[in-house]
Amino acid sequence: MGIVNVTPDSFSDGGVNFRPDDAVASARRMVDEGAAIVDVGGESTRPGSEGVSVDEELRRVVPVLERISDLPTSIDTAKAEVARRALAVGAELVNDVTALRGDPELATVAAEAGAYVCLMHMQGEPRTMQANPTYGDVVSDVKAFLEERIRFAVDAGIREDRVLVDPGIGFGKTVEHNFELIRRLDEIAALGRPVVVGFSRKSSLGRILGDPEATTGPLSASIAAAVAAYERGATVLRVHDVKEHVEALTAARAVVG
Ligand code: 7PJ
């Protein structure tokens, strides 16, 4: 899954794809490089961020999605109206970092469109989530949350075989929490749904390399985390650098057999 943030302020590619022409070109390049789907988002959820209005989010993503309706696309939003418009112009998956908790209408919109939905775990909210993340057992807690959200989605009319789950790397988690979630990803995969992992360029990768203030991490470490996640059962890797991840994962797949 290639990431196209149509935002001025996302944590690692903010501004790069803010112009529609650039976002469209990036999406096409990612698919050429082997992405199975392109995740288009108009609202940054980086630590500390505030939200944007529905109108602003629509202004950012709809013109881009309209021009890539021939590609497999996902809409990264927590807003029902943004999802509804995105699905109408061809998106097939709703990637909701709130796991259908942010907008009471979103589950119905996804159910009625027959869309795929990615349910992501987050402790707290983007503005404050990195203040003091605390768990009993992080993997058990995330797994129980995802199990409950799958139930919620199915009860809202979303077919279970349309649901993907994501442990939410960096969303209300310490560095150690993030790596433990990957180490024990098989426990999340045991939910029986495809597991999405987004570790690409995240700050924990810069921090284990020795910079306690890092806000991003390098490509090399991103690839290592993606391969480790793949070996433990991840099916979708959400990444900025598609070509390099496709190359690495192709080799990893050849090893796994
Ligand atoms: C994630 C996400 C993730 C899913 C972001 C970035 C930071 N969606 N949206 N999983 N991270 N499903 O653009 O990398 O880990 S925002």
Side-chain angles (χ1 to χ4, degrees), residues 118-123 135 138-139 142-143 145-146 164-173 177-178 181-182 185 188-189 194-198 202 229 234 236:
C118 177
L119 304 174
M120 196 196 78
H121 175 272
M122 166 164 48
Q123 184 177 88
Y135 296 89
V138 66
V139 180
V142 167
K143 183 178 179 181
F145 170 87
L146 293 173
L164 295 79
V165 295
D166 184 329
I169 298 302
F171 286 83
K173 280 128 191 146
H177 292 145
N178 290 325
L181 282 162
I182 303 301
L185 199 68
I188 305 296
V195 177
V196 180
V197 170
K202 284 186 179 169
V236 179

Side-chain angles (χ1 to χ4, degrees), residues 1 3 5 10-13 39 43-47 76 95-97 118-120 166-171 196-202 238 240:
M1 173 184 278
I3 303 168
N5 286 315
S10 287
F11 83 108
S12 85
D13 66 343
D39 190 38
E43 176 179 44
S44 172
T45 47
R46 72 175 177 183
D76 184 348
N95 175 29
D96 177 14
V97 299
C118 177
L119 304 174
M120 196 196 78
D166 184 329
I169 298 302
F171 286 83
V196 180
V197 170
F199 220 143
S200 181
R201 299 187 188 173
K202 284 186 179 169
R238 184 179 180 278
H240 302 84

Side-chain angles (χ1 to χ4, degrees), residues 5 24 40 83 108-109 149 157 162 164 196 215 222 231 240 257:
N5 286 315
V24 168
V40 177
T108 310
V109 167
R149 298 319 293 166
R162 299 271 151 142
L164 295 79
V196 180
T215 55
S222 303
E231 287 182 324
H240 302 84

Side-chain angles (χ1 to χ4, degrees), residues 49-77:
S49 62
E50 307 278 344
V52 298
S53 70
V54 176
D55 286 348
E56 177 59 21
E57 209 176 316
L58 287 169
R59 260 197 299 279
R60 293 177 182 183
V61 298
V62 173
V64 173
L65 287 167
E66 279 173 346
R67 289 171 56 189
I68 54 172
S69 61
D70 56 316
L71 304 182
T73 56
S74 153
I75 176 68
D76 184 348
T77 191

